[in-house]
């Protein structure tokens, strides 16, 4: 989130899209309700009328996989009807920047596309530069090559009628949403967009998020109270997991994993450190060398010295994607031999669970650390599996639950909150920290004594979380993450103190200032709000970066530092002595000295987003399995996604699978169900797997509420109870009616409550930028189950 | 302490069932064995109140002028201001306990004989007799939490402040403010529990739509006039000799008398 949970209460309009916040983030509705008590309007955009829609002022039905068309349509309306915040666009975004004459868009493709390689060469996706090497601008936004005019042109194709025909949402409703949300373009009004996996889990997921960011920029809603682009993360600590770089393509604090062409540290730093010739651009990523070297010092401490590139050569260099789908494809093909699975249950979470379970059979060994023996840990004993034929050696490590261990979790709002251990773990269950510490210590010992292909990175890994202790000291881990001044041994007070000369270490530059000589900031529980009284609570826990609660917050002011919305000001300039008041300013420079979007080398937020793999402007493409041809162009699919064509990767077409399908979560169950399907109170609420369908579909299939039905896709089938409801209705796409169904994905073959796994149905295909699987839009068929 | 109440501002409900589960947790009640969902129109489980379920969220799916509506209602003991269940309880001292300070009404299991009179005379037919244990069961208003300065478990768990605990006069004022808020949004709200039964109830529901939209809600709840006759017929039996079976017999007798009266009335009307 650019903002945070409590801040939602400050919004004048809330759009919940690609999210069912009432069901999956129920506590967020505390803040949504407070906003509504103050007159805020709630808009729910969803293929299905949910418990969120039940609270909404406007419910807009939209078929799964049409989000870009929908929001591009809203943006088109905003531009056509002058609802955008022009001053904000000129002062804070690249709307006025001129784009290379060679850049163009035609029939679904931008310039630079290589069809054979399925990728773009981005030579034309750039600004025109002046003599100083800075982007040329037209602050009147009239130049035909300025971003604003190019965007306006690109979006002009997304009329309400066209959008209605693609999304299945009536055009009057599209206009009503655009008018209502567009009203937050007023200087003193703000709108917030709450989104989740309904947005991200598509082959166009990243561009989906881009449309929200762009809409918010058009309306001046970024950096303000009650605004922002707010991802409702899917687990309580997944924000922590991405911050600490559990994903293959990043290092701590969103530094880049070295690629194979970054052969030396110097080459790596040259490649990834952005430059700017504009003295008004803070270009914060220019400090990359300080963060990278400090990270290397955290990993290898005294071994890492200037003369050995701070052990840069110990880091693996990427030559291919190693995302979840690629990993399981490699497992299936016998390339990956062993898997450590901690608190994850891919045998239910999928996607394409039938292939992923088969992939587990190819492993030599599997280590599963979890609270229960999950469907993944017990895959070899699934009813129907022949365990005699399965050679995988499985190690089950009982793990401690979150209240059985001390440490921090980072929520969607970037708040790092410290937790104490409330109860001891049962039996032999151990904390993840203990498990990892034991594995690392043992690996070091073995590599030290037995050698190996390249033992140095492990043998020399700096690893001291409490000598002579059974349980590692999690406070030492937190301090390591914060970082040290290695010359004094003191904790660094913030990332401003990090250096690239090897005198500082930091496990994660973003978390610098979270644990300092003043103490454990994440453990604070201060109940006093900041003077601006917008729910910042700066003394409660700690958030990154440097406890700044609303990022990009200088964009909430004009260039003199006066808030656009004085009644809900975030920061304001009070003068050269007392400087900025309110939230931690996003850069303490006086107003007008530096541009407000400091993380971009040009200091401006990007309406023209050339950093993405699939295009600088969002364009509608159909999901891999789509009911219709792309009405916007002849480019049916996202042009840069990887299409997997191995065994068990079959793709379905609309002639055999005419019904749109999506998956979702419910309040009553949690993820792959290990915890909730073993809790009698929750099992009482939702004991069985079900599928929701419209009354018309049920009638056509001879199905009544409570009947058993078979749902099948090109990859497999499941059986579930039918929930026949008026909350699904067929969508009119290009004049024809298409039905859609929805499936909760929480069920599996183990536990107190068992049921077929919805992810037996989903495909192995991922987003163009993040590779997140397309769980949310595919094709199926439904029949009444006989016998 | 003043008489307490809970506001149930149902437009704010997100049907998360935190109240349902918090109640079970506090009262240490087991989860029931269920299949699929108890009723069409939503995710209700279990099918009704029981010795294991003191509060239940109900779902109402409907359509109005092509707009989908999904209404939610929390169903449990209304904690009447002038409780018929207490009046009906035949044992001495009464098993159905009415706490003076807070108004909490709960079953004292040590005294309860499981006769079912409370259920018979409850205008909402709430108490469920646990036939195995021989005890009446229902929402306790978390009298034990209240006695320790805490709010009821359901109100504490509710994330959206749909459920709010407080003094009844303040809760009624909040209910009226909620009605204003809902009218401004174009809804047609009804308060349920302010004037019902004359003196009202301590659970005050604000429903965003008229009562007709909730077909299982009793429109004009009334306490049966037979309560007097019931106690008359019990008089000959010493209070200490009362058993569930005995009381059951008396209730049967009351029913007989009532049916005879009604058939006489209808005969008179015919004739």
């Amino acid at each position: 989130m650019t903002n945070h949970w409590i801040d939602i209460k400050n919004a004048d309009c809330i759009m919940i899209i690609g999210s069912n916040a009432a069901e999956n983030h129920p506590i967020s509705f505390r803040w949504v309700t407070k906003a509504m008590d103050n007159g805020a309007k709630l808009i729910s955009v969803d293929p299905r009328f949910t418990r969120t829609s039940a609270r909404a002022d406007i419910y807009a039905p939209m078929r799964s996989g049409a989000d870009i068309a929908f929001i591009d349509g809203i943006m088109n309306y905003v531009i056509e009807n002058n609802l955008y915040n022009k001053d904000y666009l000129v002062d804070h975004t690249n709307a006025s920047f001129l784009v290379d004459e060679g850049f163009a868009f035609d029939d679904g493709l931008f310039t630079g596309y290589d069809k054979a390689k399925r990728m773009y060469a981005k030579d034309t996706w750039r600004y025109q530069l002046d003599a100083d090497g800075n982007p040329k601008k037209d602050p009147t936004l009239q130049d035909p090559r300025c971003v604003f005019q190019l965007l306006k042109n690109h979006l002009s194709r997304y009329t309400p009628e066209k959008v209605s025909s693609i999304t299945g949402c009536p055009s009057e409703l599209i206009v009503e949403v655009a008018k209502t949300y567009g009203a937050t373009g007023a200087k003193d009004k703000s709108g917030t967009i709450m989104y989740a996996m309904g947005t991200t889990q598509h082959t166009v997921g990243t561009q989906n998020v881009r449309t929200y960011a762009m809409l918010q920029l058009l309306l001046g809603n970024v950096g303000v109270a009650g605004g922002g682009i707010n991802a409702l993360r899917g687990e309580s600590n997944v924000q922590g997991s991405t911050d600490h770089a559990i994903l293959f393509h990043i290092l701590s604090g969103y530094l880049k994993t070295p690629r194979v062409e970054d052969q030396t540290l110097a080459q790596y730093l040259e490649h990834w450190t952005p430059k700017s010739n504009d003295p008004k651009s803070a270009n914060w990523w220019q400090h990359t060398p300080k963060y990278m070297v400090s990270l290397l010092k955290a990993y290898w401490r005294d071994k890492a010295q200037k003369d050995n590139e701070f052990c840069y050569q110990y880091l693996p260099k990427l030559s291919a994607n190693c995302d979840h789908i690629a990993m399981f494809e490699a497992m299936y093909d016998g390339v990956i031999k062993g898997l450590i699975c901690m608190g994850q249950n891919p045998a239910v979470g999928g996607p394409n669970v039938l292939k992923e379970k088969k992939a587990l059979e190819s492993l030599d060994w599997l280590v599963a650390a979890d609270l229960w023996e999950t469907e993944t840990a017990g895959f070899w004993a699934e009813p129907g599996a022949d365990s005699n034929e399965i050679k995988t050696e499985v190690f089950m490590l009982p793990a401690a639950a979150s209240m059985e261990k001390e440490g921090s979790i980072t929520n969607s709002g970037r708040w790092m909150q410290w937790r104490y251990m409330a109860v001891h773990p049962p039996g032999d269950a151990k904390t993840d920290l203990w498990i990892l510490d034991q594995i690392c210590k043992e690996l070091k010992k073995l590599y030290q004594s037995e050698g190996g292909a390249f033992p140095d990175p492990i043998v020399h890994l700096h690893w001291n979380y409490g000598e002579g202790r059974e349980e590692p000291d999690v406070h030492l881990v937190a301090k390591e993450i914060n970082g040290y001044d290695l010359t004094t041994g003191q904790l660094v007070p913030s990332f401003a103190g990090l250096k690239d000369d090897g005198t500082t270490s930091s496990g994660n530059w973003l978390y610098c200032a979270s644990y300092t000589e003043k103490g454990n900031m994440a453990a604070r529980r201060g109940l006093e709000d900041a003077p601006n009284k917008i729910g910042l609570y700066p003394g409660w826990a700690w958030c990154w970066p440097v406890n700044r609660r609303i990022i990009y917050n200088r964009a909430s002011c004009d260039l003199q530092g006066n808030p656009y919305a004085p009644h809900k000001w975030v920061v304001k300039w009070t003068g050269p002595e007392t400087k900025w008041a309110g939230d931690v300013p996003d850069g303490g420079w006086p107003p007008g000295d530096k541009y407000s979007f400091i993380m971009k080398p040009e200091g401006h937020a990007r309406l023209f987003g050339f950093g993405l793999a699939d295009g600088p402007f969002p364009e509608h493409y159909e999901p891999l399995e789509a009911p219709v041809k792309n009405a916007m162009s002849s480019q049916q699919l996202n042009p840069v996604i990887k299409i997997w064509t191995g065994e068990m990767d079959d793709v379905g077409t609309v002639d055999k699978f005419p019904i749109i399908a999506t998956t979702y979560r419910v309040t009553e169950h949690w993820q792959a169900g290990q915890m909730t399907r073993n809790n009698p109170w929750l099992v009482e609420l939702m004991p069985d797997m079900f599928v929701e369908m419209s009354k018309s579909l049920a009638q056509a299939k001879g199905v009544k509420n409570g009947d058993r039905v078979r749902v099948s896709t090109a990859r497999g089938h499941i059986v579930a109870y039918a929930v026949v409801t008026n909350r699904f209705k067929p969508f009119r796409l290009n004049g024809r009616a298409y039905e859609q169904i929805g499936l909760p994905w929480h069920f599996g073959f183990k536990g107190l409550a068992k049921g077929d796994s919805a992810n037996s149905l989903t495909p192995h295909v991922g987003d163009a930028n993040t590779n997140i699987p397309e769980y949310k839009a595919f094709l199926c068929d439904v029949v009444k189950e006989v016998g | 302490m003043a008489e307490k109440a809970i506001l149930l501002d149902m437009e704010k409900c997100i049907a998360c069932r935190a109240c349902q589960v918090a109640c079970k947790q506090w009262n240490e009640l087991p989860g029931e064995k269920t299949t699929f969902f108890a009723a069409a129109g939503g995710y209700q489980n279990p099918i009704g109140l029981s010795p294991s379920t003191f509060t239940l969220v109900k779902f109402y799916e409907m359509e109005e002028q092509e707009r989908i509506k999904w209404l939610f209602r929390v169903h449990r003991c209304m904690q009447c201001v002038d409780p018929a269940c207490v009046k009906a309880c035949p044992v001495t001292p009464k098993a159905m306990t009415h706490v003076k300070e807070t108004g909490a009404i709960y079953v004292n299991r040590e005294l309860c004989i499981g006769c079912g009179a409370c259920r018979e005379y409850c205008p909402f037919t709430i108490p469920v007799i646990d036939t195995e244990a021989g005890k009446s069961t229902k929402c306790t208003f978390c009298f034990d939490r209240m006695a320790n300065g805490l709010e009821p478990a359901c109100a504490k768990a509710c994330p959206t402040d749909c459920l709010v605990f407080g003094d009844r006069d303040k809760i009624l004022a909040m209910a009226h403010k909620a009605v204003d808020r809902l009218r401004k949004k174009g809804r047609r709200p009804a308060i349920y529990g302010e004037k019902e039964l004359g003196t009202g109830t301590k659970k005050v529901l604000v429903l965003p739509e008229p009562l007709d939209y909730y077909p299982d809600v009793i429109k004009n709840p009334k306490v049966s006039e037979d309560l007097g006759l019931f106690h008359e017929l019990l008089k000959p039996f010493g209070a200490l000799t009362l058993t569930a079976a005995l009381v059951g017999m008396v209730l049967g007798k009351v029913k007989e008398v009532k049916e005879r009266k009604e058939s006489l009335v209808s005969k008179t009307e015919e004739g």
Side-chain angles (χ1 to χ4, degrees):
Chain A
M1 287 185 173
T2 55
N3 294 49
H4 59 93
W5 292 113
I6 299 172
D7 181 67
I8 292 167
K9 73 181 175 87
N10 297 316
D12 295 291
C13 188
I14 301 169
M15 178 145 58
I16 298 182
I17 177 170
S19 153
N20 181 1
E23 296 194 38
N24 300 312
H25 294 87
I27 310 299
S28 74
F29 253 72
R30 172 172 208 72
W31 310 113
V32 174
T33 301
K34 283 196 198 288
M36 292 175 81
D37 280 348
N38 287 327
K41 293 262 185 293
L42 175 64
I43 301 170
S44 162
V45 184
D46 202 303
R48 179 180 59 117
F49 188 97
T50 64
R51 283 176 270 189
T52 299
S53 317
R55 294 289 314 276
D57 296 287
I58 303 173
Y59 164 63
M62 181 202 73
R63 61 113 170 170
S64 293
D67 306 65
I68 291 174
F70 189 86
I71 299 289
D72 275 3
I74 304 292
M75 287 202 279
N76 184 39
Y77 185 93
V78 162
I79 291 179
E80 300 264 302
N81 292 276
N82 292 305
L83 296 174
Y84 56 91
N85 184 331
K86 181 163 187 268
D87 289 343
Y88 186 98
L89 285 184
V90 173
D91 292 344
H92 304 297
T93 79
N94 68 2
S96 66
F97 290 30
L98 303 188
V99 174
D100 191 295
E101 292 287 346
F103 168 78
F105 172 82
D106 180 49
D107 192 25
L109 291 172
F110 300 94
T111 39
Y113 186 59
D114 183 328
K115 192 168 175 182
K117 290 198 187 133
R118 290 185 67 75
M119 59 185 285
Y120 280 105
K122 296 187 188 177
D123 312 53
T124 57
W125 302 8
R126 60 186 176 189
Y127 304 128
Q128 293 178 29
L129 301 178
D130 63 19
D132 296 325
N134 292 320
K136 286 186 181 163
K137 303 175 194 178
D138 171 25
T140 69
L141 304 186
Q142 295 301 308
D143 190 311
R145 293 310 292 174
C146 80
V147 167
F148 183 76
Q149 290 298 331
L150 290 172
L151 178 64
K152 180 172 177 175
N153 197 40
H154 185 86
L155 296 175
S156 63
R157 303 138 61 228
Y158 291 90
T159 62
E161 296 68 38
K162 190 79 183 193
V163 172
S164 176
S165 151
I166 295 173
T167 62
C169 182
S171 49
E172 323 81 70
L173 261 182
I174 294 167
V175 170
E176 196 185 341
V177 170
K179 265 205 185 100
T180 310
Y181 198 76
T184 65
K187 282 209 160 115
D188 62 344
K189 297 240 182 279
S190 61
T192 185
I193 299 183
M194 295 166 65
Y195 73 92
M197 273 52 66
T199 297
T200 59
Q201 288 174 345
H202 293 270
T203 46
V204 294
T206 308
Q207 292 288 350
N208 284 343
V209 182
R210 269 280 293 155
T211 63
Y212 309 156
M214 292 166 70
L215 175 59
Q216 291 292 66
L217 291 172
L218 284 174
L219 297 171
N221 281 336
V222 180
V224 303
I229 299 101
N230 297 308
L232 314 186
R233 304 304 305 252
E235 294 83 20
S236 50
N237 195 23
V238 67
Q239 182 67 49
S241 82
T242 51
D243 293 343
H244 293 297
I246 308 258
L247 296 173
F248 75 95
H249 66 298
I250 48 176
L251 296 176
S252 309
Y254 305 98
L255 290 165
K256 301 282 189 278
T257 308
R259 305 312 199 246
V260 76
E261 55 266 26
D262 306 320
Q263 285 292 297
T264 65
L265 178 60
Q267 284 174 309
Y268 171 91
L269 294 175
E270 173 62 34
H271 184 184
W272 296 111
T273 307
K275 293 172 189 50
S276 171
N277 293 342
D278 192 334
K280 288 180 82 169
S281 175
N283 183 22
W284 201 261
W285 278 114
Q286 66 171 295
H287 302 293
T288 296
K290 301 172 186 169
Y291 307 150
M292 183 59 170
V293 172
S294 298
L295 178 63
L296 293 171
K297 289 296 286 186
Y299 287 157
W300 289 292
R301 220 31 142 262
D302 297 336
K303 183 73 183 168
Q305 295 298 328
K306 206 165 188 162
D307 60 8
N308 65 14
E309 304 177 275
F310 300 106
C311 289
Y312 174 77
Q313 298 305 334
Y314 287 175
L315 289 175
K317 319 269 181 309
L318 277 184
S319 57
N321 272 354
C322 308
D323 60 274
H324 176 97
I325 294 176
M327 270 205 314
F328 273 85
E329 292 279 340
M331 266 183 249
Y332 183 91
D333 292 342
V335 172
I336 292 181
K337 302 292 191 190
L339 174 69
I340 300 180
C341 207
M342 298 191 81
Q344 180 148 358
N345 190 0
V348 172
N352 195 354
V353 141
L354 297 176
K355 179 157 195 177
E356 296 202 353
K357 284 192 285 198
K358 204 89 189 105
L360 296 175
E361 291 181 25
S362 299
L363 292 170
D364 288 349
W365 54 265
L366 165 67
V367 175
D370 218 304
L371 310 187
W372 272 273
E373 185 189 67
T374 62
E375 286 81 356
T376 299
F379 79 94
W380 48 272
E382 177 173 7
D386 183 357
S387 59
N388 286 320
E389 291 302 304
I390 297 171
K391 303 282 182 280
T392 316
E393 189 174 5
V394 179
F395 302 85
M396 179 76 226
L397 303 182
S402 54
M403 66 294 290
E404 297 165 350
K405 50 194 179 184
E406 184 183 7
S408 72
I409 71 175
T410 302
N411 75 8
S412 302
R414 298 166 281 108
W415 292 26
M416 175 191 182
Q417 299 185 91
W418 198 261
R419 305 293 188 79
Y420 61 88
M421 178 169 71
V423 289
H424 286 279
D428 291 330
K430 296 287 186 197
T431 64
D432 292 342
L433 186 57
W434 185 93
I435 293 171
L436 289 165
D437 183 62
Q438 290 286 312
I439 291 176
C440 188
K441 282 175 172 155
E442 195 62 27
L443 277 177
K444 274 169 156 290
K445 243 193 266 163
L446 288 170
Y447 274 116
Q448 184 85 57
S449 60
E450 295 178 17
F454 186 33
D456 299 45
I458 305 276
V459 167
H460 298 299
L461 193 63
H462 174 74
W463 195 269
N464 178 9
Y465 301 108
E467 283 308 323
R469 285 171 61 116
E470 173 66 13
E471 180 75 26
D473 183 353
V474 68
H475 291 260
L476 286 178
V477 178
K479 287 178 182 176
E480 180 85 276
I481 287 169
N482 180 83
Y484 295 96
D485 177 337
L486 297 171
T487 62
T488 61
Q490 301 252 293
L491 293 158
V492 285
S494 97
F495 47 66
L498 293 179
K499 300 205 166 59
D500 65 355
D501 60 5
T503 58
T504 57
S505 74
S506 173
N508 191 329
W509 73 274
L510 266 189
Y511 279 73
C512 254
S514 63
Y515 208 129
T516 66
E517 294 301 324
K518 291 207 181 96
N520 184 355
M521 299 292 123
R524 298 181 309 164
R525 292 293 184 265
L527 290 172
E528 208 183 301
D529 199 359
N532 50 9
K533 299 263 174 278
I534 54 169
L536 298 179
Y537 296 100
W540 180 282
W542 181 90
C543 79
W544 65 260
V546 292
N547 209 28
R548 177 179 301 132
R549 304 271 153 149
I550 297 177
I551 56 185
Y552 311 121
N553 57 30
R554 279 188 305 115
S556 69
C557 296
D558 61 23
L559 295 181
Q560 286 72 48
N562 299 313
Y564 292 127
H567 66 288
K568 46 183 180 179
W569 63 278
V570 182
V571 293
K572 64 178 169 197
W573 180 253
T574 60
E577 300 295 316
T578 43
K579 301 198 167 44
W580 293 96
D583 193 8
V584 175
D586 205 335
W589 312 278
D593 271 23
K594 300 278 186 196
Y595 304 127
S596 47
F597 281 81
I598 66 171
M599 300 310 287
K600 290 277 175 264
E602 67 269 46
H604 289 68
R606 291 181 183 173
L607 286 175
F608 182 75
F610 49 89
L612 295 177
D614 44 359
F617 288 139
E619 173 69 4
H620 172 73
Y621 302 112
E622 288 289 331
L624 178 69
E625 294 190 344
V628 292
K629 279 193 140 39
N630 187 351
M632 295 305 295
S633 73
S634 54
Q635 183 60 37
Q636 177 72 5
L637 302 179
N638 183 314
V640 306
I641 56 169
K642 180 172 175 67
I643 311 287
W644 294 93
T645 53
E647 288 170 10
M648 301 182 78
D649 282 333
D650 299 72
V651 175
T653 48
V654 72
D655 50 332
K656 284 180 74 189
F657 301 103
I659 301 168
I660 306 166
T662 194
T663 59
Y664 51 75
R665 306 179 213 198
V666 294
T667 316
E668 294 76 4
H669 282 298
W670 175 249
Q671 308 305 68
Q674 292 89 282
M675 296 168 88
T676 60
R677 284 187 292 107
N678 281 309
N679 181 316
W681 295 326
L682 298 172
V683 168
E684 173 196 281
L685 293 176
M686 280 196 176
D688 297 299
M689 175 59 183
F690 60 91
V691 49
E692 296 192 289
M693 66 179 68
S694 73
K695 292 187 170 169
S696 49
L697 179 59
Q699 178 153 47
K701 299 288 181 174
V703 167
K704 287 181 334 290
N705 190 56
D707 281 350
R708 302 283 287 164
V709 294
R710 172 176 292 240
V711 183
S712 53
T713 66
R715 291 156 294 283
H717 69 265
I718 61 161
V719 178
Y721 282 103
V723 171
V724 179
T725 172
N726 66 348
R727 294 174 295 101
F728 256 129
K729 295 215 194 301
F731 294 101
R732 281 214 87 74
L733 309 176
N734 203 25
R736 257 195 70 184
Y738 292 88
E739 295 278 2
Q740 175 163 346
I741 59 151
L743 306 125
W745 60 268
H746 303 290
F747 287 84
F749 64 87
K750 283 181 144 313
L752 188 57
K754 302 177 182 41
D756 286 355
S757 300
N759 278 312
S760 303
L761 307 172
T762 49
H764 253 195
V765 69
D767 171 74
N769 292 280
T770 63
N771 308 296
I772 191 170
E774 187 161 65
Y775 289 107
K776 295 292 179 176
F778 52 98
L779 294 178
C780 73
D781 195 14
V782 176
V783 293
K784 185 167 171 176
E785 177 76 345
V786 282
Chain B
M1 262 214 257
E3 185 172 54
K4 298 297 183 188
I6 295 182
L7 174 72
L8 297 96
D9 186 350
M10 294 317 306
E11 190 266 339
K12 293 188 175 179
C13 177
I14 53 174
C16 67
R17 270 84 75 84
C19 55
Q20 216 175 299
V21 175
C23 175
K24 286 199 181 235
Q25 188 201 19
W26 181 255
N27 291 294
E28 295 180 292
L29 301 171
E32 294 189 37
K33 178 92 180 75
T34 53
T35 303
F36 184 50
F37 297 119
Y43 306 133
Q44 181 188 326
N45 256 327
I47 197 160
L49 298 178
S50 77
S52 308
T53 300
F54 293 171
T55 186
L56 186 59
V57 177
K58 295 194 166 212
F59 297 71
Y60 306 82
E61 246 173 40
M62 60 194 70
E63 213 144 318
E64 206 171 42
Q65 291 160 352
E66 289 184 31
R67 287 185 80 115
I68 306 169
K69 264 186 163 62
W70 207 10
L71 306 175
F72 313 123
R73 183 176 70 88
V74 184
H75 177 67
R76 76 273 280 270
C77 166
M78 294 294 285
Q79 294 282 341
C80 302
V81 169
D82 185 14
C85 57
V86 175
K87 290 202 180 94
C89 184
V91 299
T92 310
K94 287 192 183 278
M96 193 60 82
T97 312
H98 193 178
V99 178
K100 232 160 120 212
E101 293 81 15
T102 59
I105 307 153
Y106 69 94
V107 177
N108 182 327
R109 286 175 76 90
E110 280 172 34
L111 301 173
C112 178
I113 61 172
C115 69
C118 51
R119 178 181 178 83
E120 182 68 25
Y121 290 103
C122 171
F124 308 98
T125 318
I126 291 295
V128 179
I129 307 306
D130 180 349
T131 46
E132 257 186 64
K135 304 289 172 191
S136 172
T137 64
K138 71 173 194 68
C139 160
T140 68
F141 212 15
C142 280
F143 72 95
D144 45 356
R145 290 177 61 89
M146 276 204 252
N148 284 279
L150 301 172
E151 57 183 323
C154 56
K156 176 141 184 84
C158 179
T160 57
D161 285 344
C162 161
L163 264 54
V164 180
F165 174 70
D167 295 344
R168 188 164 184 269
D169 53 358
K170 293 204 177 64
I171 293 297
L172 284 173
M174 287 177 75
H176 283 278
K177 271 186 115 168
V179 164
D180 288 339
R181 178 189 94 236
L182 292 165
R183 284 213 180 108
K184 274 204 194 93
K185 288 176 137 200
R187 311 295 291 268
R188 294 152 301 165
I191 300 181
Y192 189 76
E194 182 179 16
K195 304 205 171 89
E196 277 65 21
L197 302 167
T199 41
T201 60
K202 295 192 294 298
K203 305 279 176 71
V204 179
L205 281 92
V206 177
L207 301 169
E209 301 295 336
L211 284 183
D212 287 327
Y213 285 62
Y214 307 85
D216 55 349
V217 170
I218 298 167
K219 279 239 191 53
N220 290 305
K222 283 189 173 54
V223 178
S224 170
E225 295 149 347
D226 304 325
L227 197 48
L229 176 62
F230 171 66
H231 282 294
E232 263 315 303
L233 294 176
L234 277 176
K235 271 209 185 109
F237 306 102
L240 294 175
T241 65
L242 283 181
T243 62
L246 197 56
V247 176
M249 259 173 44
V250 173
L251 286 172
K253 190 74 189 167
V254 172
K255 250 207 193 86
E256 239 185 77
V257 171
K258 178 180 180 158
E259 277 159 14
R260 240 187 294 137
K261 244 200 232 162
E262 278 169 1
S263 75
L264 274 176
V265 168
S266 60
K267 278 214 181 87
T268 315
E269 284 174 349
E270 281 170 35

